[in-house]
Structure formats: C-alpha cells, structure tokens
Amino acid sequence: MNIALPDPARVDIVPFFQPIIKLDNRRIFGYEALGRMVDRFDGNVKSAGPLFHQLGQSAEHRPILQDIDSKIQEAALNRVCQSEHNALFMNIMPHTLTMASNGQSTSASILKRIQDCRIDPSRIVLEITEDEFFGELEHLVAIVDGFKKEGLQIAVDDAGAGESDLNRIALIRPDIIKVDLNLLRQSIQHVAFRQVLQAVSALAHRLGSSLLFEGVEREEELFMALRMGARYLQGYLFSEA
C-alpha cells in the first residue's frame, strides 16, 4: 500500500489517548499517545502509524516526520500537564534520536519539553522500537541511558515481532517490554508462538522489566497475557483511543 504525507491544509495530526491498565490495582496507570490523522472536512480519523513505519525508512521524509512527531509529543505533554497522577507513554522514532533541529538534538528537545511542563520525569515512558534504529546499537543504548538518568522510563515496543531481537532488548534493559499484538493473537493458536512469548516473559523476569500486553481485544487474549505474567494491559477490550 502506497503511503503519502497528508495535506496539512486538510488534515490535522493530533494525539489520541488509550488507557493502560495496571493489574495490581485494576486502575488506569497511564495513557499512550497515539498519532491520528483527522480530516477537517469529513471528520474521518486514521492512524498515523503507517506514516512513521513506512515513510520513516526514507531519509527524505525523516525531517518532516520528526517535525510531526515533535508536535504530537508537545500536544500530548500539554495534556498530561493537566493531570496529577497518570503516566504518559510517548512513541519515539528511534532513528530521530541522533538528529538535530535548530541546533538541538531530538533527545535534548524531548527533555526540555518535559522540564518546561514541570512534571515528574518518572511519569513519562518513552516507547522505542529498537529494530527501527539505523545506527550503532551502542549509540542507542547510550541515549537510552541518558534518558534513564534523567528519571524517564523506557519501554521497548513490538517485542518479539519482525526483526526484534531479544539480545538487543537485553542491552537496552527497558523498564517495560511491550508485547506485539499479532504475536499475542497467534500465540493463542500456535505452540511455537507461545514459546516465543514465554521467552519474552522469561527475559522480562531476568531484566526486572514489566510486561505490557497491547492490543488486547478478546477474553482469551486477556487470559493468555495473564498466564504470561502481564503487569499492564492495553486494548479495545478496555477502551479505544
């Protein structure tokens, strides 16, 4: 499917928020900010995810996507500033972390926005998909360590999916490991996928990371997540974005 950049005269890209449930108290722990493209004329809403996953592979589009990503983050942070307790999960395009805009690195810009918001950095969870980072993994690990020193939490997204590698995840040592929706669904029917989930669960236990199962839509997916040691849950079974 061909993906094109949206027409800024017609489409607004804004954050929608999907709740994340914490199992020990069965309450909302935080919200993930998800980019949505909203048509100003007909109100149609589409996910902005394909923009980042497909066009993000092109060096030509990365500066534009970085700007879109920054605006989504800023809008999301403005919303979380109005809340006293909930965490905010923000998706970060990992290959932009080494880029600069207006003489400032992307990672420094993120930290400045959080400081300007005057909220506890531990309430911010940065989600990265480690296999979408195009540089040296050691560089990504150093950037992630810098965020951790500032008090932010790190989540690795789409664990066990695509080219995701458990060894790379182990080097990053995230606070939260998010399990891929498609992997979760397939694990219900296929033993091999269930074994992969068990490996992810074992890795999380060794690293001291919490498991978050996203995209939970049916009860059987919920029960599978519980058996695999989920601490957090997210999906349409609880709420849309």
Side-chain angles (χ1 to χ4, degrees):
M1 181 174 61
N2 292 325
I3 300 293
L5 289 170
D7 180 1
R10 182 182 178 98
V11 175
D12 291 319
I13 303 182
V14 297
F16 276 40
F17 298 87
Q18 187 173 38
I20 293 169
I21 309 300
K22 189 175 182 181
L23 279 168
D24 60 3
N25 59 14
R26 301 181 185 180
R27 295 183 178 179
I28 294 175
F29 170 71
Y31 294 86
E32 180 178 2
L34 300 167
R36 293 292 186 263
M37 299 183 289
V38 182
D39 193 298
R40 297 177 189 171
F41 297 96
D42 61 19
N44 186 41
V45 178
K46 294 181 180 179
S47 171
L51 285 179
F52 297 103
H53 291 297
Q54 296 189 34
L55 297 184
Q57 307 295 321
S58 165
E60 173 189 358
H61 292 118
R62 285 176 205 161
I64 300 172
L65 294 174
Q66 181 186 20
D67 183 60
I68 293 174
D69 204 25
S70 296
K71 289 178 179 176
I72 293 173
Q73 293 166 17
E74 185 171 359
L77 280 169
N78 288 339
R79 287 289 298 274
V80 82
C81 282
Q82 303 168 22
S83 166
E84 295 182 359
H85 305 293
N86 296 127
L88 173 67
F89 287 65
M90 296 197 306
N91 291 282
I92 303 296
M93 298 185 345
H95 49 265
T96 67
L97 291 173
T98 58
M99 298 172 63
S101 178
N102 298 322
Q104 190 173 52
S105 70
T106 298
S107 49
S109 297
I110 293 170
L111 292 173
K112 185 178 186 306
R113 282 196 292 272
I114 292 170
Q115 290 168 357
D116 290 344
C117 194
R118 296 182 180 180
I119 63 174
D120 183 350
S122 66
R123 291 173 57 197
I124 305 300
V125 183
L126 297 184
E127 292 189 26
I128 60 173
T129 306
E130 97 296 342
D131 66 339
E132 292 185 356
F133 185 73
F134 304 134
E136 294 293 329
L137 180 60
E138 291 76 10
H139 195 178
L140 177 60
V141 171
I143 293 172
V144 166
D145 286 344
F147 282 130
K148 289 180 180 178
K149 289 177 181 176
E150 294 294 331
L152 281 69
Q153 297 189 66
I154 300 296
V156 167
D157 204 3
D158 295 344
E163 298 298 322
S164 181
D165 184 284
L166 298 186
N167 290 328
R168 293 200 299 266
I169 294 174
L171 287 174
I172 293 171
R173 303 186 68 84
D175 301 283
I176 296 172
I177 296 177
K178 297 191 72 174
V179 176
D180 172 70
L181 160 67
N182 292 321
L183 181 60
L184 171 59
R185 286 179 176 161
Q186 293 180 78
S187 72
I188 294 170
Q189 298 177 350
H190 302 289
V191 174
F193 287 103
R194 201 149 48 238
Q195 291 172 341
V196 174
L197 273 184
Q198 289 170 344
V200 174
S201 177
L203 175 65
H205 180 73
R206 289 199 302 272
L207 296 178
S209 305
S210 298
L211 275 176
L212 190 164
F213 284 78
E214 60 181 333
V216 179
E217 298 182 1
R218 300 189 294 268
E219 285 190 2
E220 57 264 34
E221 296 168 352
L222 167 62
F223 296 143
M224 175 62 72
L226 294 176
R227 285 197 294 272
M228 292 297 168
R231 186 180 186 189
Y232 303 105
L233 297 170
Q234 177 183 1
Y236 282 8
L237 184 63
F238 311 104
S239 175
E240 297 183 18

